[in-house]
Amino acid sequence: MDVGRFQQVRSIVARAIEAPAHARDGLLESLAGDDVQLRDDAASLLRDALRAEQEGFLEPPEPPSTPAARRVHVGDHLGPYELVEVRGVGGLGVVYRARQRAPIERDVAVKVLHRPHPTPRELFRVEGERRAMAALDHPAIAKVLDAGVTPDARPFTVVEYVPGVPVTTYAEERRLGWRERVEIIVGACEALHHAHQRGVIHRDVKPENILAFERDGRTMVKIVDFGSARLVTDAGRATAEGGGVPGTLVYMSPEQLRGEDVPDTRTDIYALGLILYELLAGQLPWRDVRASVLEAMSQIGRVTLAELREPTGTSGRDLTGVCRCATAADRSRRYETMESFAADLRRVLRGETVSARAPSAFERAARTCRRHWRRLSVGIAVASLGLGLTAWALASRREATQRREELADTLEKVNSGVLGLLGNLSGARDTRRQIARTLLEPLQRLEASGKGDDRTRLALAAVTGVIGDLEETDSRYSHAHAHWVEAERLLRRVAEERPSDIDVLRRHATAVVRIGDSVHNMANTRDPAERFRTREQARLEVRTRYEAALGIQQRALELSPAHPGVLDDVSYSYARLSELAYLMGDEARAEELVRQRLDLSVSLAAAHPANSIHRYGVASARGQLAVMLTRLGRADEALPIARVAVEESEVLASGEPGNFTYQLQRHFARSCLFEALRDSGDTEQARREARAILDELQRIERENPEWRWTPERLDRFRREAGLDDPEQPAPVPPVD
C-alpha cells in the first residue's frame, strides 16, 4: 500500500474509531464510497486497532489506585464545589451542576473525565478545551472558572453554569416565530465570530451546544462545550496526538466527514447553517431521504437544500439562499466569516437584499416601495379620493379582517402560552379547571358565531382536551370521553384545512388515541354509572380508534419520513396495539407489533443519539418485549432482553437523577426482569430482585412525596420477596 493510500485509510479509521460501535459499519461504507478495497482495508485496520485497544496496547497502563480513591458521585465535594445533579454525559466525561460554597455562593458546571489517570489523547483534549475557553471573553460564551483533579486523578474543569436548553428545543417549546429563530442564530454568529477572531474553532456546533434561555424578558444564547475545539496554531498537533476527527455526525461538514483535519472556521459556519435550516424547517435537510442517517449523509454535497416552506415570500427565499450559502459542499462558496453570515441574516430581518441570492426584478421593485413608502403613500392617497364610498367599504372590510387577525393571534398566544401553563400546574386541578373553563366559554361563542378560523379551533380543541384530562383524573370517564370526542371533531376539521401541517396531524392523532383510552377506562371502571360497554365491545372500539390514529401518523410520516416526533408517535401506537392484540387473544400479532416498535425505537435512537427521550423509547420497548415473551411462556428468551432493558434504564436514570419518568422506567424494567426470572424457575434470584424492587419503590416514594404506590403493589413485592412482616424493611442482598 503506497503512502497516499495508507494516509487515506488511516484518516477513515481515525474517524470510525471515535464513532459509537453501532454506527461504525455504516460510517466506513459512507466514507469509502464505491471503493470496495478501500473499505475492506479500513475495516481490517479498524479491527486491529480495536483489538489492540482492548488488550491495552494503545494506552499506557493505569497505575494502581489507592484504597482511598473512588469514583465521584452526586453529593461529593471537589474543593468548594458540591456536585448537585448530572446535566449531561458525553464521550469524554460527565457534566454536573454543582454549588460553589466559597468564596461566593453560585451554581457552576463541573466537567469530570470518565477515566481515572487519563490517556495522553484525553489530556490533550482537556488541555485544548481549557486553552480555547480561556482565550475567549464574550457574554454569549460560557467562561472557564477553575480546574483541578479529583482524588482518583480525573481532571475536572469548572465553567459558568448555563440554565438553558438546546436552541431547537427552546424554539419549539416557546413556539417562536421565524424572526425570533433567526435572531437566535444571529446571537450565535456573533459569539462564534468572537471565537474565530481569537483563533478558536469550535468544531462541534450543534443545538445541544447552543443553549437558549430567557433573561429579563429577552432570549439569550450561550455557546458551551469546547471539548472538540482547536486553536488555529494547533494545526497538525491534533493528528499527531491521535485526536481523530471531532464533531457530531449529523452536523459535520463534508470535509469533516472526509477526515480532513485542517482548521477552518467555515466548518463552524456549515454546522450553524444546518441548525438555522433545522430551526426554520423543523428538521434537518435530508429528512426526505428514506434511509438511515449515515446513508442520508452520503447525499451531503450532492443534493440542494429544499426551499423553506416558512416564511413565505421574499423572506423565505432569502433565508433559503442564506442556508444554502452557509452549507455549500465546497467550503470556498460558503460565507467567509461568521460576521458576513450574521450580516445577511440582519438584512433578511430588515427586508433588504442579501448577498447570498440575487433578487428578481419584482423583488427589487417591492423593496424600493418599502423604502420610499412615505412618498408613495401621498400619491396613493390622492388617487384614492376618486374611489368614494367604495374605498370606505373596503377599509371597513379590512378593519374587520384586521380585528379577526388580531383575535386569531391572541388565540394562538393563548394556545401556546396559557395552555402550556395549564399543563405545568400538576396537582392544582381546581386552578387548572377554573382557568380552562374561563377560556372555554368565549372560544365556544366565537366558534358558534361562524367568525372563528383554524386557529380558533386549535385553541378550543386544546382547552377541551385539558378539561378532558381533568375529568379523567377524577375518574369521570364518560365526561372525559365527551370532551375528547369534541376535541377530535375540531382537530379533524383543522386537519382538513391544513392537510400538510404535521403538528395538526399529530394533535389529531392524539385526540383519537384519547377517545380510545377513555372507552377502555369506561369498560374497566368499577363504577356502574361510568361503565356502559362490555370489555369485548370496548376492545373492538379501542382497536378501531388506535388503528385510525396510526393511519393519521403514517400520513404525517409520508410528509416527513424522518420526523422524530412522528416516529415516536408511531412507536407508541405499536405499543398500544400490541397490548390490545394480546388482550384480544391474538398473541402472534401482539409479538409482531412489539418487535416493530423495538426496531423503530432503535433506529430513532441511532439517528438522534444525543436525545435521551429516544433512548428512553428503546428501553421501554425492550421491556415491553420481555413482558410479552414472558406472558407467552418464553421466559428463557425474555431474560437476556430484560437484562439489557435494565442496563439501558440504569444509564438513563443515573444520567438524569431528577427525572421522575426515568425512575419509573427503571422500575418497570426491573419488574420485567423479575417476571422473567420467576417464570424461568430461578426462584432465588427472583426473590432477590423482588427485594431490590421493594427497596426501590420505597425510595421513589421518599424522593417524590406527591407519589404513592397502591398498597396492592407494595404487598405483592413484599410477598414475592419472602417478607412475612409487612412493616419489616427490605434489605437488598448482594447479587451474585
Side-chain angles (χ1 to χ4, degrees):
M1 185 184 302
D2 60 39
V3 174
R5 184 75 169 183
F6 176 75
Q7 291 292 345
Q8 193 175 6
V9 171
R10 182 184 179 280
S11 174
I12 293 175
V13 172
R15 179 65 198 91
I17 202 170
E18 296 286 339
H22 67 268
R24 285 175 182 147
D25 290 342
L27 183 59
L28 286 178
E29 199 166 335
S30 173
L31 296 179
D34 297 327
D35 192 332
V36 177
Q37 186 60 48
L38 176 62
R39 185 187 61 206
D40 291 345
D41 290 341
S44 175
L45 184 58
L46 176 62
R47 283 193 300 271
D48 292 342
L50 291 173
R51 184 169 60 251
E53 189 166 36
Q54 290 171 355
E55 293 170 358
F57 294 136
L58 295 185
E59 309 290 1
E62 295 183 7
S65 58
T66 64
R70 65 179 187 87
R71 298 177 69 92
V72 295
H73 301 286
V74 170
D76 286 354
H77 288 77
L78 300 178
Y81 311 107
E82 179 185 0
L83 305 183
V84 176
E85 63 174 334
V86 176
R87 295 293 294 174
V89 180
L92 190 63
V94 182
V95 179
Y96 297 87
R97 179 173 71 85
R99 188 68 182 165
Q100 181 179 353
R101 301 298 182 187
I104 58 174
E105 283 209 19
R106 60 180 172 180
D107 281 344
V108 296
V110 178
K111 186 172 184 178
V112 185
L113 256 66
H114 286 308
R115 290 162 49 101
H117 309 291
T119 65
R121 180 171 64 181
E122 291 168 339
L123 284 174
F124 173 69
R125 290 188 61 183
V126 172
E127 175 205 353
E129 179 176 21
R130 291 174 179 173
R131 290 176 63 204
M133 296 184 74
L136 307 178
D137 183 15
H138 191 277
I141 296 177
K143 296 179 176 63
V144 172
L145 304 175
D146 198 358
V149 179
T150 67
D152 62 342
R154 300 168 196 266
F156 68 85
T157 305
V158 182
V159 299
E160 176 186 0
Y161 176 69
V162 182
V165 296
V167 287
T168 48
T169 304
Y170 183 89
E172 289 305 311
E173 288 178 347
R174 304 297 180 98
R175 297 181 181 273
L176 298 183
W178 70 267
R179 286 183 172 276
E180 291 90 344
R181 296 175 188 235
V182 170
E183 286 168 355
I184 284 176
I185 297 300
V186 170
C189 282
E190 292 170 349
L192 288 168
H193 181 61
H194 170 86
H196 292 169
Q197 284 183 311
R198 282 147 185 80
V200 177
I201 307 166
H202 192 287
R203 301 202 304 175
D204 193 16
V205 176
K206 58 183 177 181
E208 291 79 3
N209 288 340
I210 306 175
L211 301 182
F213 56 97
E214 188 174 300
R215 178 179 294 167
D216 299 329
R218 294 181 55 206
T219 295
M220 312 291 287
V221 295
K222 286 269 189 185
I223 310 295
V224 299
D225 194 355
F226 282 74
S228 297
R230 284 289 177 268
L231 299 174
V232 173
T233 54
D234 283 341
R237 184 181 172 200
T239 304
E241 297 202 20
V245 183
T248 299
L249 280 174
V250 290
Y251 296 99
M252 278 187 175
S253 63
E255 60 268 21
Q256 278 181 299
L257 286 172
R258 289 193 297 268
E260 298 174 14
D261 195 35
V262 179
D264 193 327
T265 58
R266 288 169 294 185
T267 289
D268 288 351
I269 291 172
Y270 180 93
L272 194 59
L274 275 186
I275 295 171
L276 171 63
Y277 189 92
E278 184 177 7
L279 279 170
L280 296 171
Q283 50 219 320
L284 288 166
W286 45 77
R287 63 190 184 280
D288 293 325
V289 180
R290 296 176 180 271
S292 69
V293 172
L294 290 174
E295 291 169 329
M297 286 191 303
S298 68
Q299 301 300 312
I300 292 175
R302 305 177 192 175
V303 178
T304 303
L305 266 63
E307 196 82 27
L308 290 167
R309 296 181 182 178
E310 293 291 339
T312 55
T314 304
S315 297
R317 290 190 290 273
D318 283 345
L319 285 170
T320 301
V322 169
C323 290
R324 287 173 176 170
C325 181
T327 60
D330 180 355
R331 57 184 162 189
S332 66
R333 297 177 59 189
R334 294 178 207 153
Y335 290 107
E336 284 292 326
T337 65
M338 280 288 180
E339 178 55 35
S340 57
F341 185 6
D344 251 3
L345 292 178
R346 295 190 192 99
R347 292 187 188 103
V348 175
L349 294 172
R350 293 194 298 264
E352 299 173 358
T353 303
V354 298
S355 66
R357 187 180 75 89
S360 66
F362 176 80
E363 289 170 355
R364 286 196 297 271
R367 283 173 170 145
T368 301
C369 290
R370 282 199 294 271
R371 284 197 298 273
H372 303 289
W373 67 273
R374 287 187 176 86
R375 296 177 186 174
L376 290 170
S377 63
V378 174
I380 292 170
V382 172
S384 66
L385 290 175
L387 296 178
L389 291 176
T390 303
W392 175 83
L394 290 173
S396 299
R397 184 177 300 175
R398 281 196 301 272
E399 186 178 351
T401 301
Q402 184 177 357
R403 284 199 300 270
R404 283 198 297 272
E405 283 295 318
E406 289 173 354
L407 178 59
D409 288 341
T410 300
L411 292 172
E412 194 166 29
K413 290 175 182 176
V414 166
N415 191 23
S416 61
V418 177
L419 294 176
L421 174 63
L422 282 175
N424 293 327
L425 287 173
S426 58
R429 291 207 299 272
D430 292 340
T431 304
R432 295 175 69 205
R433 184 178 281 107
Q434 183 178 356
I435 296 173
R437 292 201 179 280
T438 300
L439 293 170
L440 184 65
E441 186 178 349
L443 287 169
Q444 287 177 328
R445 282 202 308 269
L446 183 61
E447 176 67 10
S449 71
K451 296 179 181 178
D453 61 7
D454 53 354
R455 286 177 287 189
T456 312
R457 286 182 276 279
L458 278 176
L460 180 54
V463 173
T464 305
V466 169
I467 297 174
D469 278 338
L470 292 167
E471 298 287 12
E472 183 177 290
T473 302
D474 292 339
S475 301
R476 291 159 52 91
Y477 300 125
S478 58
H479 292 76
H481 180 264
H483 281 95
W484 279 110
V485 167
E486 175 62 11
E488 189 277 331
R489 181 189 70 78
L490 293 163
L491 288 164
R492 181 172 4 106
R493 183 172 173 185
V494 178
E496 290 168 356
E497 297 168 350
R498 300 191 196 175
S500 300
D501 191 319
I502 290 176
D503 182 59
V504 170
L505 291 173
R506 293 183 68 192
R507 293 191 195 189
H508 184 206
T510 298
V512 174
V513 167
R514 297 306 300 276
I515 294 173
D517 291 345
S518 61
V519 170
H520 172 80
N521 290 331
M522 284 188 289
N524 288 279
T525 182
R526 297 177 182 176
D527 184 353
E530 292 286 322
R531 180 195 271 169
F532 64 92
R533 288 175 177 83
T534 66
R535 289 188 178 180
E536 290 72 21
Q537 292 170 331
R539 285 171 182 169
L540 289 171
E541 182 175 347
V542 172
R543 183 175 66 184
T544 300
R545 296 289 184 179
Y546 287 173
E547 288 175 344
L550 179 59
I552 296 169
Q553 292 158 355
Q554 288 171 334
R555 285 206 303 275
L557 210 55
E558 290 172 3
L559 294 169
S560 182
H563 193 293
V566 179
L567 290 169
D568 251 346
D569 295 344
V570 171
S571 170
Y572 285 102
S573 284
Y574 287 154
R576 285 185 287 269
L577 285 166
S578 171
E579 188 67 22
L580 199 58
Y582 177 79
L583 293 173
M584 297 177 74
D586 191 348
E587 296 177 349
R589 179 62 175 158
E591 182 180 350
E592 176 190 359
L593 284 164
V594 77
R595 288 189 182 277
Q596 283 181 295
R597 180 199 176 192
L598 179 57
D599 290 344
L600 181 57
S601 299
V602 169
S603 299
L604 194 54
H608 303 273
N611 193 326
S612 62
I613 293 297
H614 300 318
R615 289 186 280 119
Y616 165 80
V618 173
S620 175
R622 212 181 299 277
Q624 187 186 13
L625 177 58
V627 169
M628 186 66 65
L629 293 173
T630 302
R631 287 174 177 174
L632 299 178
R634 293 149 61 187
D636 289 340
E637 188 178 342
L639 261 177
I641 298 172
R643 293 189 195 280
V644 175
V646 170
E647 291 173 2
E648 292 169 335
S649 303
E650 287 283 1
V651 171
L652 281 169
S654 60
E656 297 186 32
N659 191 315
F660 183 54
T661 300
Y662 293 169
Q663 292 181 42
L664 293 182
Q665 169 55 35
R666 177 169 59 187
H667 167 65
F668 166 68
R670 299 193 73 169
S671 300
C672 298
L673 178 58
F674 161 75
E675 300 280 356
L677 287 167
R678 186 194 59 193
D679 286 19
S680 66
D682 194 342
T683 307
E684 184 58 32
Q685 191 69 15
R687 177 168 293 184
R688 291 178 177 176
E689 193 64 36
R691 290 188 179 184
I693 290 172
L694 182 57
D695 181 72
E696 182 176 51
L697 293 175
Q698 295 167 341
R699 178 180 52 76
I700 289 176
E701 282 194 344
R702 287 194 303 272
E703 295 177 359
N704 303 275
E706 75 285 356
W707 181 267
R708 286 292 178 268
W709 301 101
T710 61
E712 293 83 2
R713 188 169 191 81
L714 293 169
D715 290 343
R716 177 202 171 192
F717 281 105
R718 284 193 184 99
R719 290 194 305 272
E720 298 286 3
L723 300 174
D724 297 328
D725 182 2
E727 300 301 323
Q728 180 181 347
V732 182
V735 179
D736 292 339

